């Protein structure tokens, strides 16, 4: 928010009321805001920014207390001339989302003159049924176009670049189908373990924590058809269509096409089951790899492989688009017998470095005729990195503008749950052989076997 303030996107007409069960004065809350600014707290605009923050201790189940919040909101509305525009940002246990949304409406907080928007932090349910219940509860108080379900991956610069790359380039989009693409690989690899979040994570696991939301969103952007226009309504419509054609697995296919893992002890790393707040017999997965199949004209026969996990070799997020090899390799014989042509690969580096790389085959310099793969690279430079907003900065700005492009709509969330629920159902019936990978690796051997079975390899491997 301070970045938005500095950029002039957020000016004098804003106020924030922080709430939680803890008692705190405005000054104490402002002090917490000041601390969160880090070195920017000495910025000349910092104190003015901080003066826009207020605090109310609040029990979300206490209906009567919403009146106090309303009075405070009305007072700040006048003071900072907010014209009744309100954003309610819920980052709390999903059990309370419905209660809060209901009271915001019945107790009159949404009766203001301006817009009323609801921001929801994940997790949005733990399966399709609970997500649907939650959605029903929200929809008694807010319309779908007022609800902004945050998925911070959609605020990342290079995730947004998927659309630019695909729909801004003839050479990309004209090849973007099962005739030319052999497979697509999405990797969200984390070096960190569960850290202090074990009590949440042990109830969630990598499937719910990363696949149902972030990976499904990335995959839908990669798989969707070209939207009619670059608007939230059109983009969401295409993402939903893509997710509808994702094959929901039966029991047998879910077992063969998905692999789970849990890290054991490494040289310097204790095993997941020995982490604080993790039960010693936990069967929670810290790694998932899988194969996704779309039953549609564009993608039939071209699998999407995905993987994500904690305590892996490195922190990076990337998409590798592997093209089919030329049907005939005219260079293979006789001069070049040892160097068959490699597949072209278009890699989107999402994080930590941002850019694209295209692997082509080219003639090596010199006598004779040998080919070798070369890379054409583009990486965002320091100036570009500086201009890149933080995902949350961008998404909060989008909420203020009322732009839902980079938020997950209910139909997207519901199709993603239906897909993931099937995997979960099968896993819950089977006893995993955990732990099955070492920290610092790229996950269990089964993740390699999953793709090798199809006579393919992960493009990124150790
Ligand atoms: C969050 C997950 O949504 O994404 C975390 O809950 C995960 O477990 C994080 O570490 C990864 O986000 P990023 O932006 O660091 O790749």
């Amino acid at each position: 928010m301070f970045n938005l303030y500095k950029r002039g996107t957020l000016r004098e007409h804003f106020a924030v009321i922080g709430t939680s069960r803890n008692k705190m004065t405005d000054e104490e809350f402002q002090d917490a805001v000041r601390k969160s600014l880090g070195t920017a707290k000495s910025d000349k605009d910092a104190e003015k920014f901080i003066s826009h923050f207020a605090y109310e201790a609040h029990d979300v189940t206490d209906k009567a207390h919403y009146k106090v919040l309303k009075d405070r909101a009305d007072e700040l509305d006048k003071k900072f001339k907010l014209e009744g525009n309100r954003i309610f940002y819920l980052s709390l246990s999903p059990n309370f989302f419905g209660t809060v949304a209901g009271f915001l409406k019945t107790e009159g907080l949404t009766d203001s003159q301006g817009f009323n928007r609801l921001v929801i932090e994940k997790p949005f349910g733990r399966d399709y049924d609970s997500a649907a219940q939650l959605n029903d509860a929200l929809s008694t108080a807010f319309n779908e176009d007022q609800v902004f379900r945050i998925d911070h991956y959609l605020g990342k610069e290079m995730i947004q670049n998927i659309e630019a790359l695909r729909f801004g380039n003839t050479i990309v989009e004209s090849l973007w189908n099962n005739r030319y693409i052999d497979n697509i690989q999405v990797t969200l690899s984390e070096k960190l373990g569960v850290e202090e979040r074990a009590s949440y994570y042990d109830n969630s696991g990598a499937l719910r924590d990363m696949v149902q939301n972030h990976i499904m969103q990335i995959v839908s952007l990669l798989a969707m058809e070209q939207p009619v226009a670059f608007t939230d309504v059109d983009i969401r419509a295409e993402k939903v269509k893509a997710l509808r054609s994702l094959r929901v697995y039966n029991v047998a296919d879910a077992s063969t096409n998905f692999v789970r893992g849990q890290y054991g002890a490494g040289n310097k790393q204790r095993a997941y089951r020995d982490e604080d707040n993790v039960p010693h017999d936990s069967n929670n997965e810290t790694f998932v790899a899988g194969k996704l199949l779309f039953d549609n004209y564009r993608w039939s026969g071209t699998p999407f492989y995905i993987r994500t996990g904690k305590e892996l070799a490195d922190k990076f997020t990337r998409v590798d688009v592997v093209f089919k090899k030329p049907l005939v390799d005219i260079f293979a014989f006789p001069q070049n017998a040892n160097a068959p042509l490699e597949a072209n690969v278009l890699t989107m580096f999402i994080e930590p470095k941002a850019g694209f790389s295209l692997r082509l085959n080219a003639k090596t310099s010199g006598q004779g005729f040998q080919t070798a793969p070369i890379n054409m690279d583009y990486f965002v430079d320091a100036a570009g990195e500086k201009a890149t907003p933080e995902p949350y900065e961008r998404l909060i700005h989008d909420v203020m503008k009322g732009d839902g492009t980079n938020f997950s709509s209910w139909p997207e969330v519901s199709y993603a749950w239906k897909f993931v629920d099937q995997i979960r159902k099968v896993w819950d019936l089977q006893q995993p052989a955990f732990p099955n990978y070492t920290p610092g690796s790229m996950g269990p051997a089964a993740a390699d076997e999953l793709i090798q079975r199809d006579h393919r390899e992960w493009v990124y491997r150790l």
Side-chain angles (χ1 to χ4, degrees):
M1 289 191 73
F2 188 56
N3 287 348
L4 290 174
Y5 189 69
K6 286 298 287 176
R7 287 184 208 266
T9 316
L10 196 60
R11 291 164 208 246
E12 296 315 314
H13 304 297
F14 85 96
V16 176
I17 307 176
T19 78
S20 80
R21 280 168 303 183
N22 299 338
K23 292 228 175 320
M24 233 191 280
T25 61
D26 283 355
E27 288 68 32
E28 283 166 333
F29 185 54
Q30 290 179 352
D31 207 38
V33 175
R34 190 173 291 112
K35 281 206 190 84
S36 78
L37 292 182
T39 52
K41 67 171 179 276
S42 44
D43 187 288
K44 67 177 179 23
D45 296 321
E47 286 308 312
K48 191 121 188 272
F49 169 77
I50 292 167
S51 70
H52 289 249
F53 287 76
Y55 185 82
E56 283 297 335
H58 176 66
D59 169 356
V60 292
T61 60
D62 180 358
K63 181 175 173 196
H65 197 262
Y66 283 77
K67 168 88 173 66
V68 177
L69 283 188
K70 180 177 175 339
D71 291 347
R72 197 76 208 271
D74 290 343
E75 171 203 320
L76 292 169
D77 194 328
K78 272 205 205 86
K79 179 170 172 193
F80 291 106
K81 301 195 179 62
L82 308 180
E83 299 177 352
N85 293 323
R86 288 185 183 166
I87 295 171
F88 305 96
Y89 195 117
L90 307 193
S91 173
L92 74 169
S93 160
N95 303 341
F96 295 116
F97 287 157
T99 314
V100 176
F103 285 151
L104 289 175
K105 187 177 166 80
T106 59
E107 304 317 296
L109 276 105
T110 56
D111 287 345
S112 62
Q113 291 296 312
F115 61 68
N116 282 283
R117 297 179 184 143
L118 186 71
V119 182
I120 302 280
E121 272 288 348
K122 69 165 213 183
F124 200 84
R126 35 182 303 110
D127 52 20
Y128 172 76
D129 290 340
S130 57
Q133 259 176 25
L134 178 55
N135 203 56
D136 288 347
L138 296 184
S139 60
T140 59
F142 291 86
N143 297 330
E144 175 67 17
D145 64 357
Q146 293 176 291
V147 179
F148 293 76
R149 295 174 197 80
I150 291 244
D151 184 315
H152 77 284
Y153 267 69
L154 295 179
K156 293 185 191 258
E157 189 74 34
M158 290 306 290
I159 297 290
Q160 301 198 348
N161 231 318
I162 294 175
E163 287 146 305
L165 185 76
R166 286 192 55 193
F167 306 119
N169 297 292
T170 315
I171 59 163
V172 176
E173 192 53 20
S174 56
L175 303 179
W176 204 259
N177 57 51
N178 51 6
R179 266 165 293 154
Y180 302 106
I181 295 182
D182 181 76
N183 71 92
I184 296 186
Q185 304 177 9
V186 178
T187 305
L188 273 54
S189 155
E190 295 195 79
K191 206 175 162 79
L192 292 176
V194 285
E195 303 191 286
E196 72 288 352
R197 293 165 74 231
S199 45
Y200 151 76
Y201 192 80
D202 199 62
N203 277 308
S204 158
L207 188 66
R208 290 192 179 100
D209 186 50
M210 297 294 277
V211 179
Q212 189 276 338
N213 40 38
H214 308 319
I215 290 190
M216 294 303 255
Q217 283 293 329
I218 297 174
V219 165
S220 63
L221 288 168
L222 292 167
M224 72 181 183
E225 296 299 313
Q226 175 159 325
V228 175
F230 195 61
T231 65
D232 50 1
V233 174
D234 293 312
I235 294 170
R236 284 171 165 195
E238 294 308 333
K239 282 163 75 187
V240 172
K241 258 167 58 192
L243 290 170
R244 279 178 60 196
S245 51
L246 179 62
R247 188 181 305 170
V248 176
Y249 290 136
N250 59 26
V251 174
D253 290 344
S255 321
T256 9
N257 291 337
F258 267 76
V259 162
R260 58 181 156 162
Q262 187 191 81
Y263 59 85
N267 285 344
K268 293 192 193 127
Q269 172 61 40
R270 57 188 166 170
Y272 175 73
R273 286 174 175 172
D274 295 331
E275 300 273 17
D276 295 340
N277 299 321
V278 173
H280 290 308
D281 56 354
S282 172
N283 277 338
N284 187 44
E285 79 281 357
T286 59
F287 177 95
V288 177
K291 172 159 96 168
L292 277 59
L293 296 170
F294 287 91
D295 291 315
N296 61 22
Y297 196 76
R298 189 189 278 263
W299 293 119
S300 179
T302 294
F304 285 56
Y305 297 98
I306 56 122
R307 58 185 170 160
T308 183
K310 304 249 181 225
E311 288 293 345
L312 297 182
D314 221 336
K315 166 74 190 168
F316 61 82
T317 305
R318 60 189 274 166
V319 175
D320 295 290
V321 181
V322 184
F323 289 85
K324 293 189 172 169
K325 289 187 181 174
L327 293 178
V328 179
D329 182 352
I330 62 165
F331 309 115
F333 189 77
Q335 311 94 314
N336 216 13
N338 297 326
L341 293 172
E342 296 215 2
N344 299 137
V345 178
L346 173 63
T347 299
M348 296 177 209
F349 295 100
I350 292 161
E351 265 176 359
K353 52 181 181 177
F356 306 113
S357 171
L358 180 60
R359 187 171 80 190
L360 300 171
N361 292 303
K363 180 185 174 304
T364 54
S365 308
Q367 286 285 358
F369 202 101
Q370 298 278 326
T371 63
I374 51 124
N375 285 327
M376 285 169 59
D377 293 333
Y378 158 77
F379 287 104
V380 174
D381 59 13
E385 275 174 19
K386 198 156 171 250
T388 303
E390 294 287 328
Y392 272 95
E393 179 184 341
R394 192 194 303 263
L395 295 175
I396 288 172
H397 184 211
D398 285 349
V399 179
M400 294 195 281
K401 288 189 299 181
D403 180 353
T405 308
N406 292 305
F407 294 83
S408 329
S409 66
W410 167 242
E412 292 163 51
V413 173
S414 64
Y415 285 114
W417 272 127
K418 283 180 183 165
F419 178 82
V420 158
D421 278 357
Q422 281 298 102
I423 317 290
R424 187 76 263 166
K425 209 156 83 192
V426 173
W427 283 355
D428 287 345
L429 295 172
Q430 300 163 351
Q431 188 73 9
F434 284 167
N436 61 355
Y437 71 95
T438 27
S441 68
M442 277 311 285
D448 293 330
E449 288 152 18
L450 171 87
I451 191 165
Q452 283 160 359
R453 212 172 45 219
D454 296 343
H455 308 289
R456 298 184 172 107
E457 292 281 359
W458 294 108
V459 174
Y460 179 87
R461 45 186 192 272
L462 292 178

